[in-house]
Every structure is written in C-alpha cells, then in structure tokens.
Amino acid sequence: MSEELLFVSLGGIGEIGMNLYLYGYQGKWLMVDLGVTFGEEGMPMIDVVMADPGWIEERRDDLVGLVVTHGHEDHLGAIPYLWPRLGCPIYAAPFPAAILAEKLKETGLEKKAKVTVIPPGGRFKAGPFDIETVGFTHSIPDSRGLAIRTKFGTVFHTGDWKFDPDPLIGPTTDFEALRRIGKEGVLALVGDSTNVFCDKEAGSESAVRAGLIELFGRFKGKIAVGCFATNVARVESVAVAAHMHGRHVALVGRSLWRIDRAARALGLFNDLPEFLSDRDAAHLPNDKLLFLCTGSQGEPRSAFNRISLDEHPHVTLGRGDTAIFSSRVIPGNEKAIFGLQNRLTRQGVHVVTDHDAFIHVSGHPGRPELTELYGLLRPQIAVPMHGEVRHVQEHANLARGLGVEQAVEVVNGEMVRLAPGPAEVVDVIPTGKLGLDGPRLLRLDGDTLRTRRRMVFNGSAVTTVVLDRVGRVVGDPLVSAPGLLEEGEDAAIHEAAVE
C-alpha cells in the first residue's frame, strides 16, 4: 500500500447518510467524516444507524486523523459513539467543531477527543497527507471541500456543497481557490451525487427567506415549522420572518438548542432575540407564537412526531393552526413523513410543504453546478459518492460526458487504487452497520436484532410454571403469546397449550 493511493468507503456510497470515507497512502489512513443515518422500519428500538468501523479499527495505529467536512449529523453524528474505538486526532472548521464540542461533552469525551480547529482556507498535515480546506456554501456554515495532496497528485473531496450567490450566513464559495487547485492539477474528484438528476441549480437561501416572510403573513393561528436543526440559515430565516409578523419563536427539540448555542458562541445569531422554550411560550396568544420544531423527517422520538400524536407536554396543534415543512423528503423517510403530516391533518392542522410554497432549497448541487465544478477542477478521475446507486451511476455518466478520462462506480467496501496506473477496484473489504440501542451499539445483522425482529414481526410465547420444592407443578401454567393468539378468539389453542 505504501506505493499506492487508495480510496474506500465504509458508508455513504449507494445510500444517503452515514458517511465514512478512507484514503490510504504510505501505509497510513486518513478518515473523512463519520456520520449517522436514521433507523428504518424493521429495526425495532433503533433510531440511529452508523457504518461499522471494524476494518479501520483494526488499523487504528495507522489512522492519522479524522477530517470533518461540515456539521451535519450524517457527517459527524457517529463521532461520540465511535471515536473511542479509533482514538485519532479530529480536524474541523469552527462551526462543526462547536457542534462537536457539545456532543463530546454530552458523552464525557470532551477531554479525551482532541479537536483541532482549522480556520477558513487552512492547510495542515496529517501523517503523509497534505490537506487544504476550501470553503463551500451549503445549508450549514463552514462546509469545506478538501484538497488532499500526495506525491501521486491531488484528490479533491467535495463533502456536501452547492453554489449559493447569497447564502445569508457565511461567505460564498471560494472560487479563487477552486480555480487555483484546478490549474495545479487534480488527479481525482470524489464528489457529491445527491442532486445529479436535478436540471436546475439548487437555489439560494435568500429566496427562501423571502418566501417564508410572505407565507407567515397568511395565517392567524399557531404556526409550527419543521426544518433540519443544522440548517442554520433556515433557522435564522424562520426567526426573522416570524419577528416581521410580530411572532415570538420557541425552539422545540434538543438539537435546535444545541445549534443555537453553537451559533451564538460564534456570533452568528447575535442580531436575533433569545428564543423561548416551549414551556415559556405557553402563555402567548396563538397569533403571536411560532414553534420551530425538530422532526421534519418524521423521526419517532422527535418533537414534531410527539406533537402529531398529542404526546408533547407543552405544545398542541389543532384546527386553525398551521404546520410548515421547510425541508426536503430524504429518500427512505417517505412513509414516516407522510404519516406525520396525515396525523396533523386529521387534527385540523393546515399542512404546508415545499410543493405548496417556495420554502425550501436543497443544500446539494444540481446538474449545472456539478458541470461548473468539473470545469473548474478538470479532474482525471471521477469517483461519485453521497448518493444511491442510481445517483452514482448518473454522476459517472455526467463526468464521462464532460470529458473525464475515468469514472469509477463503486459500492461501500470496494477499495479503489487511484494511482499509480488506471483507477480500478483492487480489493473488497468487509462492511456492516451498527445500530444505537440505548447506550450500546449492536450489529444490524447480529443475533440480538435478528431475534428482536422475529419477536416483533412473528410474535412470541412465554410460559410461566410454578414448581414446589420437589418439582411438582403448582396450579395451571400461565401462557402468554403476544402477536400470536387473539384473546377470546383463540381460547381453544390457549387451553391446549396450557394442557
């Protein structure tokens, strides 16, 4: 491996979420991102899922660092759970570093996990890797692309990005750096594929703010807005639009408060009034109130989901109120989101999505932006990432159409040799997924979850028998068969089991 430049993904290719990428060079490994995704139907009691780092954990002595491209959960959310297995230095820009500091404090790792804050445009070394960070616009501040330099050439890892001419928070994309790196020569572009099927540019956050200001003026009752907590510009836009209509904003959901603390610590929300808690907001008139909620993706334990089930201790919505979903539907979450929206509708709540009003733009590049990036960097090799299989395939086709010499379509676990010689898959390493089950991590293909799924979907039977000191049965056995026997209708089967 010392005379090769390698790339392998343990999570994030062929799927949306739980990004974990590795670069190998001179016997050392560099990790880029360590994120999570949501639990799915068929994963009972599992809300958070992450890539299994077992393969690189076995090589932790050669892991020189973890670089975080930005502060979204699917790029850094697994660090509090998996860092103890890795023990490597962490590098991040100021905003993701602030978010990470909160997370590490919650898990008692703030003094153990060393996070080096990299300033805008910063350049640093991790083992044999020479890394330059390049500022991109995204739906969160301080999103960074990475120019990873080796003797074989430069690999540009995009992270999540788009070209937003008016991002509201933070500077625009550093085009000067991209042009300079492109002129120096780029061996490979490892790039975001999420919106490769979109024929238009992603759009600007400033246009969304204008849309929210107009929309809020239509309603008189309580307004609840769901958006990604880490979309800092959107959080600010909701607050600005609310105050323009005389509404006070209450944050509902722990992750929103975490983002608020990180943003204010870096001076991003200084012009906004302090947010209210959901408890403090209870005394306000309906037309003076706006709830900003977590759970736009229908997550089971989120604030919005609990409100829709009438299980939230302080927030209720009903007839005359409005629920606004200022976010996209992440593939795989459709059933949960539509279930949430239908429950709200049954309560008499008016539901508004991005199909009804201009209240969301993506944080990922459309096809025109991808085309422009390839023109700036002119890579020899394209390795599509961050997308389902169809996105990866279409991204590779786009790259070929733009004149890229090689476009490599891979799945998680396929190790690509980027240099020397033509790019090709040279090995396949084991991959897997871990689910967060309370304080522990379980393999999704392990015996515990396999047995749990059988119990949930097939039912279970429990027999209780009381014996005396010499082993004789005392009374009738008790038989319980949840998920198997219907009380009353299956009495004969029950009696036969007792007998």
Side-chain angles (χ1 to χ4, degrees):
M1 191 190 83
S2 60
E3 296 304 317
E4 296 176 313
L5 175 57
L6 303 170
F7 168 80
V8 63
S9 167
L10 300 186
I13 296 183
E15 61 198 357
I16 304 291
M18 63 176 193
N19 298 276
L20 196 174
Y21 307 102
L22 294 164
Y23 292 91
Y25 176 57
Q26 292 186 354
K28 302 298 181 182
W29 290 95
L30 177 72
M31 182 181 291
V32 177
D33 291 335
L34 188 56
V36 299
T37 190
F38 301 117
E40 301 173 358
E41 189 174 357
M43 302 178 187
M45 303 305 294
I46 300 295
D47 293 332
V48 174
V49 178
M50 60 205 77
D52 186 345
W55 185 85
I56 190 62
E57 183 181 354
E58 295 174 357
R59 296 158 178 80
R60 60 180 287 168
D61 290 343
D62 294 322
L63 182 61
V64 297
L66 161 60
V67 185
V68 178
T69 58
H70 63 285
H72 278 151
E73 288 292 304
D74 61 330
H75 291 260
L76 60 66
I79 295 176
Y81 311 114
L82 298 180
W83 183 87
R85 301 187 181 195
L86 305 171
C88 61
I90 303 170
Y91 303 90
F95 195 76
I99 294 174
L100 193 52
E102 291 261 347
K103 288 179 167 291
L104 293 173
K105 187 175 181 180
E106 290 175 2
T107 52
L109 293 173
E110 70 274 19
K111 294 183 180 179
K112 297 178 182 179
K114 180 184 177 183
V115 181
T116 300
V117 179
I118 305 300
R123 188 165 176 172
F124 62 99
K125 288 191 175 182
F129 300 93
D130 181 358
I131 305 157
E132 179 183 357
T133 65
V134 177
F136 274 114
T137 48
H138 185 41
S139 55
I140 192 170
D142 281 345
S143 187
R144 298 285 183 261
L146 308 175
I148 304 170
R149 292 181 170 86
T150 72
K151 75 172 185 178
F152 291 113
T154 298
V155 178
F156 195 92
H157 186 107
T158 66
D160 291 1
W161 66 280
K162 68 175 182 178
F163 294 150
D164 187 340
D166 191 5
L168 298 181
I169 291 181
T172 56
T173 295
D174 190 347
F175 286 98
E176 182 179 341
L178 292 173
R179 292 189 188 94
R180 171 175 50 78
I181 292 168
K183 289 179 181 179
E184 293 171 359
V186 174
L187 173 67
L189 172 62
V190 181
D192 182 355
S193 309
T194 310
N195 281 349
V196 67
F197 289 104
C198 297
D199 291 328
K200 297 180 180 179
E201 295 179 349
S204 177
E205 280 295 328
S206 62
V208 174
R209 179 171 296 186
L212 291 170
I213 291 171
E214 190 277 329
L215 182 66
F216 289 175
R218 302 181 194 175
F219 308 117
K220 298 300 182 184
K222 288 179 281 189
I223 297 176
V225 179
C227 71
F228 296 113
T230 49
N231 191 335
V232 177
R234 191 71 49 79
V235 171
E236 184 187 71
S237 289
V238 169
V240 169
H243 289 300
M244 288 187 69
H245 291 284
R247 290 181 181 265
H248 301 274
V249 179
L251 299 186
V252 191
R254 187 174 64 173
S255 58
L256 279 164
W257 286 107
R258 183 188 297 127
I259 291 298
D260 178 56
R261 289 192 295 270
R264 292 185 189 275
L266 295 175
L268 297 180
F269 284 174
N270 286 351
D271 295 333
L272 296 180
E274 294 292 328
F275 293 112
L276 301 177
S277 70
D278 47 22
R279 185 192 299 269
D280 294 337
H283 69 280
L284 291 173
N286 289 352
D287 62 349
K288 299 297 182 184
L289 183 58
L290 184 143
F291 295 110
L292 184 54
C293 306
T294 60
S296 64
Q297 298 301 300
E299 302 95 309
R301 301 182 189 181
S302 67
F304 231 151
N305 202 58
R306 293 168 65 198
I307 293 168
S308 76
L309 294 167
D310 200 23
E311 294 178 352
H312 196 280
H314 306 297
V315 182
T316 59
L317 296 176
R319 193 163 302 280
D321 298 330
T322 303
I324 298 171
F325 288 78
S326 183
S327 59
R328 67 185 285 258
V329 175
I330 294 179
N333 295 340
E334 293 90 347
K335 186 174 181 179
I337 295 171
F338 297 152
L340 164 61
Q341 293 173 354
N342 284 325
R343 287 192 298 275
L344 291 167
T345 300
R346 280 194 294 270
Q347 294 173 1
V349 178
H350 177 48
V351 173
V352 180
T353 73
D354 60 341
H355 294 291
D356 307 307
F358 189 75
I359 52 175
H360 178 68
V361 291
S362 176
H364 300 269
R367 206 174 182 91
E369 290 153 296
L370 283 168
T371 300
E372 185 175 357
L373 183 67
Y374 275 98
L376 291 167
L377 294 179
R378 304 190 298 277
Q380 300 172 40
I381 304 166
V383 184
M385 63 163 183
H386 203 290
E388 298 173 342
V389 174
R390 63 192 184 96
H391 298 97
V392 168
Q393 184 180 75
E394 184 65 16
H395 187 163
N397 291 335
L398 173 64
R400 295 186 189 103
L402 294 173
V404 177
E405 296 174 18
Q406 301 176 79
V408 187
E409 301 171 40
V410 296
V411 297
N412 292 331
E414 291 185 337
M415 185 179 293
V416 180
R417 183 182 62 213
L418 298 173
E424 59 181 345
V425 176
V426 294
D427 197 2
V428 179
I429 66 174
T431 61
K433 298 179 181 179
L434 302 176
L436 184 64
D437 181 48
R440 61 179 178 166
L441 293 171
L442 300 176
R443 284 190 60 90
L444 294 191
D445 59 356
D447 289 339
T448 300
L449 283 179
R450 189 179 298 116
T451 302
R452 187 181 297 176
R453 278 191 289 268
R454 288 198 189 106
M455 294 174 66
V456 169
F457 295 107
N458 299 331
S460 61
V462 178
T463 302
T464 304
V465 180
V466 180
L467 306 178
D468 64 15
R469 291 182 180 181
V470 295
R472 291 175 298 198
V473 176
V474 179
D476 289 338
L478 300 177
V479 176
S480 173
L484 293 175
L485 300 182
E486 186 75 21
E487 186 176 353
E489 295 183 12
D490 295 318
I493 300 174
H494 181 270
E495 290 304 316
V498 170
E499 183 62 28

